[in-house]
Amino acid sequence: MSRILQGLRVVESSAFVAAPLAGMSLAQLGAEVIRIDPPQGGLDAARWPVTRDGKSLYWAGLNKGKRSVAIDISRPEGRELATALITAPGPDAGLLLSNFPARGWLDFGALRQRRADLIMVNILGDSEGRSAVDYTVNAAAGFPFVTGPTDVEGPVNNVVPAWDLATGMHAALGMIAAERHRRLTGEGQLVRIALSDVAFAAAGNLGYIADAAINGADRRHYGNDLFGAYGRDFATADRRRLMLVAITQSQWTAVLKATGLGDKLALAAQSLDLDFTREGDRYEGRAAISAILERWFAARPFAEAAAALEGAGCCWGPYQTFQQMLRQDRRCSPENPMFAEVEQPGIGRYLMPGSPLDFAASPRAPVRPAPLLGADTDAVLREVLGLSERELGGLHEAGLIGARA
Amino acid sequence: MSRILQGLRVVESSAFVAAPLAGMSLAQLGAEVIRIDPPQGGLDAARWPVTRDGKSLYWAGLNKGKRSVAIDISRPEGRELATALITAPGPDAGLLLSNFPARGWLDFGALRQRRADLIMVNILGDSEGRSAVDYTVNAAAGFPFVTGPTDVEGPVNNVVPAWDLATGMHAALGMIAAERHRRLTGEGQLVRIALSDVAFAAAGNLGYIADAAINGADRRHYGNDLFGAYGRDFATADRRRLMLVAITQSQWTAVLKATGLGDKLALAAQSLDLDFTREGDRYEGRAAISAILERWFAARPFAEAAAALEGAGCCWGPYQTFQQMLRQDRRCSPENPMFAEVEQPGIGRYLMPGSPLDFAASPRAPVRPAPLLGADTDAVLREVLGLSERELGGLHEAGLIGARA
């Protein structure tokens, strides 16, 4: 059985998170993804976190399973090589992914002259063409003013680059949707997606725009409380933390069962003229609920609380640092088929994820590390463009391509 | 020109964010997406935010452009109707999306008996089968301990449901990748994806697992600072806030140009034996950089600072509340082709996003509101299953289907 996207060939010219993630997601589903970088490395070649000797763990993380080609695209001959790779023939090729401006050597019109059915997925920062990254888009999209402790006055940034992640996945979807269209009609196209559009669309999709427009709401920080239902973090007697959620009625019933606090919670509801079987009432009465549950959690160690929650089928989870996640959580270990311990060339062996998508008809691809920069230059130019050893030697000598393997 | 996914028919049985978002993303690209709910509404029918009279803005946000069918699936005849919809013939049908457990009437093996090439994308909470939602998965994935102000001790939750958003987009990609495979081979399949896998994979992809494993790091809260390069929020004289980012060398050069503080920043670098042309050095020296920039921003109003940053080509953005985003940002207005003011039945007219993906070969689909619950029941059962008016009348009378239009 082959990988679900086996046979597709995508050329990627990219940096940072969204576009590399899109390419990596396609590679982890079986596509051949060729990332082109300058011989000295692209803009993200040294991005932190780095090892003690300066190797980028970030770059390694976002380029797993790709082939790396190093070409000096600052010179016309280099640009010609890159263009030839992008527009090489084959029904499953002619797919370009980039977060760089679609001009110069990445001008879609010019590339299309060389391959009429080219598909180019272009990720932009800002829908109006200004420079923008996840952090600046997030600042504009409202969320920092509702994130974080209730006593914080200013904005609180996400550390999870949510817009990069969502944009990368949109881009991968856009690529496969466009490839489907080309398979049915023969037609290629330019597909564009902006980080800022993804963030603003999410604010709309999650009801924040409607809440502002229809209810005139402008929500503020609400700490670790869920909005609109019941959910919060709790500390146990041994100072561990956990998140407990009761959105649905069955989740709420499980909380009552786990804690045995049904009578006390009913009194609290009565005292506020609320009905805690309704999710909105649980939200309105959340302080009263929390006052009761806080004592219950504070009175017992984590293990005891966890056993009670688990036994009652509660929706809950422990808080974990990255170290705890890596050392103590079986879901983040080689026992999870998504993960494997893999040797990353030049860095060492550590736990790496493959695709979270599990296709029954295609076995999970082995988890592959990122290539060393330029490691596949000769092989790709030989296979895709049919260059001879003599031609490759000449390109190396001229400094047009890098990292002779 | 048709929509990029026009012709595909997806049946969705879902609740909350990830699965409804996946279905909506496909609908916004032109697929016919039929969401099945119980006649009284599903688990998320009343999810907050709600209007003053209790209508869910959340449900409206996540079900735009779908068709809504109300069937009482608690009764065998209802389950039979739903099964018939899911397994109805047609080369572009037989696509099922759900975040409910794949058992009972959603058992993949049983459904496959009725349509051998069925594709089912099943979103799970936890990779090991426990109950889990975005909030509990996020707690386990390390990020709350690195999010928020540096003086906060406990975890800080994301308000952006990043794992729901990323999982929804993965699910949409999984659906189209599986449909491509079926088109090429005739083979359907079960595709599974867990929220927890998406979160743990992201922690790996972004280098957090490697940082913990290779460097032994266990990072703590670092406020609104970027990690590993320079970026932070600043307050201006008139108490507005903005986010400034200098990851690349050209972004840093733009900051020097905008502020004219190159000499002072060079002295600061010298005093610390750092070289601020290196992104890692900018991170290590961020307190010194911030001390200098803070004064510059504090000394001028937002408009003046913004003009200087914009003129120099800086990567920056204002912080905005949801109200400010909606009232003041042209990117979040009908001037952006992704948005339109649309009437949401039963609620009112407000700004709604379409798909952030822009396909040159397929014009953007008009932004469509969410259906009223069950609004398409008769039409869908007539079109897809060929039911007569008499049969529909009987089903209504028996209370098996709802919301007669």
Side-chain angles (χ1 to χ4, degrees):
Chain A
M1 289 189 290
S2 64
R3 310 302 165 210
I4 198 84
L5 296 182
Q6 199 152 318
L8 286 185
R9 187 200 297 139
V10 177
V11 176
E12 177 188 318
S13 173
S14 70
F16 302 115
V17 180
L21 177 69
M24 187 171 75
S25 299
L26 300 174
Q28 291 181 324
L29 299 182
E32 178 189 1
V33 177
I34 300 169
R35 176 165 164 163
I36 300 179
D37 278 293
Q40 74 279 16
L43 290 175
D44 56 354
R47 188 85 179 84
W48 283 34
V50 293
T51 59
R52 286 183 183 81
D53 59 347
K55 302 226 170 68
S56 175
L57 298 170
Y58 174 101
W59 201 92
L62 286 160
N63 293 289
K64 294 189 289 283
K66 297 180 190 171
R67 307 182 84 185
S68 175
V69 168
I71 301 178
D72 183 358
I73 49 147
S74 72
R75 291 158 66 187
E77 307 94 308
R79 291 195 290 275
E80 170 53 32
L81 270 180
T83 300
L85 276 182
I86 291 166
T87 60
D92 291 332
L95 306 172
L96 171 62
L97 169 67
S98 184
N99 62 312
F100 297 129
R103 54 178 185 252
W105 73 284
L106 287 173
D107 179 73
F108 179 70
L111 290 170
R112 194 179 215 174
Q113 297 290 318
R114 300 276 293 264
R115 175 161 180 157
D117 68 350
L118 180 70
I119 293 169
M120 175 177 187
V121 175
N122 195 203
I123 296 177
L124 316 171
D126 179 277
S127 59
E128 299 190 337
R130 281 187 298 265
S131 171
V133 295
D134 183 282
Y135 312 92
T136 61
V137 160
N138 188 57
F143 291 99
F145 286 116
V146 296
T147 301
T150 49
D151 56 355
V152 166
E153 269 212 25
V156 174
N157 288 356
N158 286 330
V159 171
V160 177
W163 314 119
D164 274 332
L165 299 180
T167 301
M169 296 316 301
H170 267 98
L173 171 64
M175 179 67 85
I176 302 307
E179 195 270 341
R180 177 178 185 277
H181 178 82
R182 186 175 74 177
R183 191 171 291 274
L184 296 174
T185 67
E187 184 182 35
Q189 64 186 308
L190 176 63
V191 183
R192 289 153 48 101
I193 181 157
L195 275 178
S196 64
D197 276 349
V198 170
F200 291 141
N205 296 338
L206 295 166
Y208 286 88
I209 291 179
D211 197 27
I214 298 287
N215 292 338
D218 211 9
R219 297 191 216 157
R220 308 305 302 187
H221 304 278
Y222 38 93
N224 285 342
D225 283 346
L226 242 75
F227 175 78
Y230 190 76
R232 228 201 65 177
D233 61 318
F234 289 95
T236 54
D238 48 353
R239 299 173 57 86
R240 294 263 335 246
R241 289 235 167 214
L242 58 85
M243 181 76 198
L244 177 68
V245 168
I247 300 172
T248 65
Q249 179 53 30
S250 70
Q251 288 168 348
W252 178 245
T253 305
V255 171
L256 303 185
K257 187 175 158 205
T259 60
L261 291 169
D263 292 347
K264 288 199 164 66
L265 288 162
L267 289 173
Q270 224 180 320
S271 76
L272 294 164
D273 295 318
L274 294 171
D275 172 2
F276 288 163
T277 66
R278 293 158 59 165
E279 62 185 283
D281 281 16
R282 290 198 287 277
Y283 179 65
E284 290 185 28
R286 65 194 183 281
I289 296 174
S290 295
I292 295 167
L293 292 181
E294 263 171 17
R295 286 208 223 158
W296 188 86
F297 283 105
R300 60 209 77 222
F302 178 80
E304 186 186 327
L309 298 176
E310 204 63 20
C314 287
C315 184
W316 75 285
Y319 281 89
Q320 301 180 137
T321 67
F322 291 109
Q323 284 291 353
Q324 289 171 324
M325 171 183 97
L326 180 60
R327 308 293 170 199
Q328 300 166 10
D329 195 323
R330 194 173 55 191
R331 296 171 300 176
C332 186
S333 82
E335 289 189 62
N336 180 339
M338 182 181 74
F339 279 108
E341 295 268 357
V342 174
E343 179 73 23
Q344 176 60 47
I347 292 180
R349 194 175 174 82
Y350 55 89
L351 189 74
M352 287 183 203
S355 173
L357 280 164
D358 182 16
F359 293 87
S362 310
R364 281 184 185 270
V367 180
R368 289 174 296 166
L372 287 174
L373 186 79
D376 306 294
T377 306
D378 287 18
V380 166
L381 294 179
R382 203 185 295 122
E383 289 166 31
V384 178
L385 301 184
L387 297 196
S388 67
E389 291 309 308
R390 216 174 119 256
E391 289 170 307
L392 289 170
L395 291 169
H396 278 289
E397 255 170 60
L400 278 163
I401 59 175
R404 174 136 236 182
Chain B
M1 289 187 291
S2 65
R3 312 301 166 210
I4 198 83
L5 296 183
Q6 199 152 319
L8 286 185
R9 187 201 298 141
V10 177
V11 175
E12 177 189 317
S13 173
S14 70
F16 302 115
V17 180
L21 176 69
M24 187 173 74
S25 300
L26 300 174
Q28 291 181 324
L29 299 182
E32 177 190 1
V33 177
I34 300 168
R35 176 166 164 163
I36 300 178
D37 279 294
Q40 74 279 17
L43 291 175
D44 55 355
R47 188 85 179 85
W48 283 33
V50 293
T51 60
R52 284 183 185 80
D53 59 346
K55 301 228 171 66
S56 175
L57 299 169
Y58 174 100
W59 201 91
L62 286 160
N63 293 290
K64 294 189 289 285
K66 298 180 190 172
R67 308 182 83 185
S68 175
V69 168
I71 302 178
D72 182 358
I73 49 147
S74 72
R75 290 158 64 187
E77 308 93 308
R79 292 196 290 275
E80 170 53 33
L81 270 179
T83 300
L85 277 181
I86 290 166
T87 59
D92 292 332
L95 306 172
L96 171 62
L97 170 67
S98 184
N99 62 312
F100 296 129
R103 55 177 182 252
W105 72 285
L106 287 173
D107 179 74
F108 179 70
L111 290 170
R112 194 178 215 174
Q113 298 290 319
R114 299 276 293 264
R115 176 163 177 156
D117 68 349
L118 180 70
I119 293 169
M120 175 178 187
V121 175
N122 195 205
I123 296 178
L124 317 171
D126 179 277
S127 59
E128 299 190 337
R130 281 186 299 265
S131 171
V133 295
D134 183 282
Y135 311 92
T136 61
V137 159
N138 187 57
F143 291 100
F145 286 115
V146 297
T147 300
T150 49
D151 55 356
V152 165
E153 269 212 25
V156 174
N157 288 357
N158 286 329
V159 171
V160 177
W163 313 120
D164 273 332
L165 299 180
T167 302
M169 296 315 301
H170 266 98
L173 171 64
M175 180 67 84
I176 302 306
E179 195 270 340
R180 178 179 184 276
H181 177 82
R182 186 175 74 177
R183 193 170 291 275
L184 296 174
T185 66
E187 184 183 35
Q189 64 185 309
L190 176 63
V191 184
R192 288 154 47 102
I193 181 158
L195 275 178
S196 65
D197 276 350
V198 170
F200 291 141
N205 297 338
L206 295 166
Y208 286 87
I209 290 178
D211 198 25
I214 297 287
N215 292 338
D218 210 10
R219 299 193 216 157
R220 308 305 303 189
H221 304 279
Y222 39 92
N224 285 343
D225 284 345
L226 242 75
F227 176 78
Y230 190 77
R232 228 203 63 177
D233 61 319
F234 290 96
T236 55
D238 47 354
R239 299 173 58 85
R240 295 264 331 248
R241 289 234 165 213
L242 57 86
M243 180 76 198
L244 178 67
V245 168
I247 300 172
T248 65
Q249 179 54 30
S250 70
Q251 288 168 347
W252 178 243
T253 305
V255 172
L256 303 185
K257 188 174 159 205
T259 60
L261 292 169
D263 292 347
K264 287 200 165 66
L265 288 162
L267 289 173
Q270 225 180 316
S271 75
L272 294 166
D273 295 319
L274 294 171
D275 172 3
F276 287 164
T277 66
R278 293 157 59 165
E279 62 185 284
D281 282 16
R282 291 199 286 278
Y283 180 64
E284 290 186 27
R286 65 194 184 281
I289 297 173
S290 295
I292 294 167
L293 292 181
E294 263 170 17
R295 286 208 223 158
W296 188 87
F297 283 106
R300 63 209 74 222
F302 177 81
E304 187 187 326
L309 298 176
E310 204 63 19
C314 287
C315 184
W316 75 285
Y319 281 90
Q320 300 179 138
T321 66
F322 291 109
Q323 284 291 352
Q324 289 171 325
M325 171 184 97
L326 180 60
R327 309 292 170 201
Q328 300 168 9
D329 195 323
R330 194 173 55 193
R331 296 171 300 176
C332 187
S333 82
E335 289 190 62
N336 180 339
M338 182 180 74
F339 278 109
E341 295 268 356
V342 174
E343 179 73 23
Q344 175 61 48
I347 293 179
R349 195 175 174 80
Y350 55 90
L351 190 74
M352 287 183 205
S355 174
L357 280 163
D358 182 16
F359 292 86
S362 309
R364 280 182 185 273
V367 179
R368 290 175 294 166
L372 286 174
L373 185 79
D376 306 294
T377 306
D378 287 18
V380 166
L381 295 179
R382 204 184 294 121
E383 289 166 33
V384 178
L385 301 184
L387 297 197
S388 67
E389 292 309 309
R390 214 175 121 259
E391 289 169 308
L392 289 169
L395 291 170
H396 278 288
E397 256 170 60
L400 278 163
I401 60 176
R404 174 136 236 182

